[in-house]
Amino acid sequence: MRSLSRSYQIAAIGALVHLAGLGVVIYVMRSVSLDSPGDSFAAGLFAGFVLVAGLFSLLGLAEAALLAIHEVVVPLATWPRRFLQGGVVFGVLSSLAIAFSMGLTHFTADWANGNPLALRITSVLFGAWILLAAAGVLCSLLGVVANAAVAVHARL
């Protein structure tokens, strides 16, 4: 398979997964009740957490668009393409981790409430989300910098 078509496939799958992640964020935000008398702080904290997850889904969409646009506008060398593809893949994995974690805590609230296994699973998924999102952003930035370095080197 040509690496150009693989980049388009990775970008398309990444965009679809991040759009699904945004859908989960919107669904969860619509179901959060901020007007409850006793737990408004916890509901607000959870809503803030969900908004951050939505922000990272938007950032993942931008990574996928960046990969597709770079393939169209500028012919990428091997390493910049690998970095940009890696950024999108890490972003997809982070979006899946946080969507699964939110789904686990939101849709199975009776099982997750006070269950130590559920707490461990959501903690691991939360940590994976943070690490994978950071790795995705770092890889995408390295891809852009490596592409600029290749372009500068080619002009010299």
Side-chain angles (χ1 to χ4, degrees), residues 12-38:
I13 290 170
L16 289 175
V17 167
H18 289 299
L19 283 174
L22 281 174
V24 169
V25 164
I26 290 169
Y27 176 78
V28 171
M29 278 301 291
R30 290 177 57 108
S31 65
V32 171
S33 173
L34 296 177
D35 295 333
S36 61

Side-chain angles (χ1 to χ4, degrees), residues 42-62:
L45 189 63
F46 183 71
F49 168 71
V50 172
L51 286 175
V52 169
L55 180 68
F56 275 106
S57 287
L58 286 175
L59 189 63
L61 271 173

Side-chain angles (χ1 to χ4, degrees), residues 8-109:
Y8 288 135
Q9 290 172 350
I10 290 172
I13 290 170
L16 289 175
V17 167
H18 289 299
L19 283 174
L22 281 174
V24 169
V25 164
I26 290 169
Y27 176 78
V28 171
M29 278 301 291
R30 290 177 57 108
S31 65
V32 171
S33 173
L34 296 177
D35 295 333
S36 61
D39 293 336
S40 61
F41 176 75
L45 189 63
F46 183 71
F49 168 71
V50 172
L51 286 175
V52 169
L55 180 68
F56 275 106
S57 287
L58 286 175
L59 189 63
L61 271 173
E63 289 174 349
L66 183 69
L67 175 62
I69 289 170
H70 264 81
E71 285 289 0
V72 170
V73 175
V74 181
L76 290 171
T78 303
W79 281 104
R81 179 181 294 116
R82 287 180 184 171
F83 280 130
L84 286 173
Q85 288 174 345
V88 172
V89 169
F90 282 133
V92 164
L93 292 175
S94 73
S95 187
L96 290 174
I98 196 62
F100 186 71
S101 176
M102 283 191 307
L104 181 68
T105 57
H106 185 71
F107 298 121
T108 60

